[in-house]
Amino acid sequence: MIINIHDICENGNSELYKWLKANAGGEIYSPDLEYGRYDPRATFERLSSRRNMYEKLAKGKDDPVRVVASGYGGFFGHMLHIVRYQMQTILIDPLLIPFAPMRLHSSYSGREAMARLMTDGFFEWEYGFGANLHVICTAGRDGRAYEEQIRCVLPDGFKNYYRVKSAGDLGGETGEILKKLLNEPPVRIEYIDQTDVIPGWED
């Protein structure tokens, strides 16, 4: 079961969704998120609710819940991973520091909510839960500025980082990486309760 989170200015029927439908199989949840219409916290809660439902359905089955997200959707994918570090999460050219598009697509209160989400997210790396997070990035995009905003969020020595010529080329290198990862089981990590670290995320 896959949760696909589209980029800004896209919708649930994105090229990535079409690729997943053709190549990954199984159930795929790919909603139209209308980022500029809803507070980012509401978007996060909507995605979390579907994740919770999939986790219940996946119990006892060989069909783990996975997240694939691109661009601005990569921010929400990263947030989902932070409280479910056993869940394989693949981010494609993710916008992990998303304030520039937020100025165009969100209210001031929405930007505040986004900042709170992002601040909470940094707790993950205190515990080193990065084994199931994978990042595919276009090498040298925007004069390396795009890569830098990813690198400043990820910890030193982060291993699952794939630099490709064009991350959006699903028919090429990115597609091959996705196929490989989606056919691998998530890494098993001993569970540690983080609800005291990130209050309000008890779901």
Side-chain angles (χ1 to χ4, degrees), residues 8-70:
I8 207 163
C9 298
E10 293 183 344
N11 57 43
N13 194 38
S14 64
E15 291 304 312
L16 180 55
Y17 166 71
K18 294 173 184 176
W19 186 95
L20 291 168
K21 191 173 180 181
N23 292 275
E27 184 169 346
I28 302 170
Y29 176 62
S30 187
D32 293 335
L33 293 171
E34 299 182 86
Y35 293 121
R37 184 175 179 184
Y38 299 105
D39 184 287
R41 190 83 191 196
T43 299
F44 178 76
E45 290 171 356
R46 178 182 177 185
L47 293 166
S48 296
S49 177
R50 179 58 62 125
R51 176 207 60 204
N52 293 344
M53 185 188 81
Y54 275 1
E55 286 177 333
K56 291 176 182 177
L57 293 173
K59 283 186 177 179
K61 299 180 181 178
D62 187 23
D63 187 12
V65 182
R66 307 173 193 263
V67 171
V68 180
S70 65

Side-chain angles (χ1 to χ4, degrees), residues 107-128:
S107 64
Y108 178 79
S109 62
R111 293 194 292 275
E112 281 191 318
M114 184 71 80
R116 288 194 295 271
L117 276 174
M118 191 170 73
T119 301
D120 290 343
F122 282 104
F123 283 110
E124 177 187 24
W125 302 116
E126 292 187 19
Y127 299 94

Side-chain angles (χ1 to χ4, degrees), residues 130-175:
N132 285 313
L133 180 67
H134 301 266
V135 177
I136 304 171
C137 184
T138 301
R141 178 174 168 177
D142 298 335
R144 294 184 65 89
Y146 203 90
E147 282 193 275
E148 289 304 315
Q149 63 87 26
I150 296 173
R151 283 295 193 182
C152 75
V153 174
L154 301 176
D156 291 338
F158 179 74
K159 295 180 179 179
N160 302 328
Y161 190 78
Y162 311 86
R163 299 179 81 236
V164 298
K165 185 175 181 180
S166 174
D169 182 13
L170 297 171
E173 193 174 1
T174 296

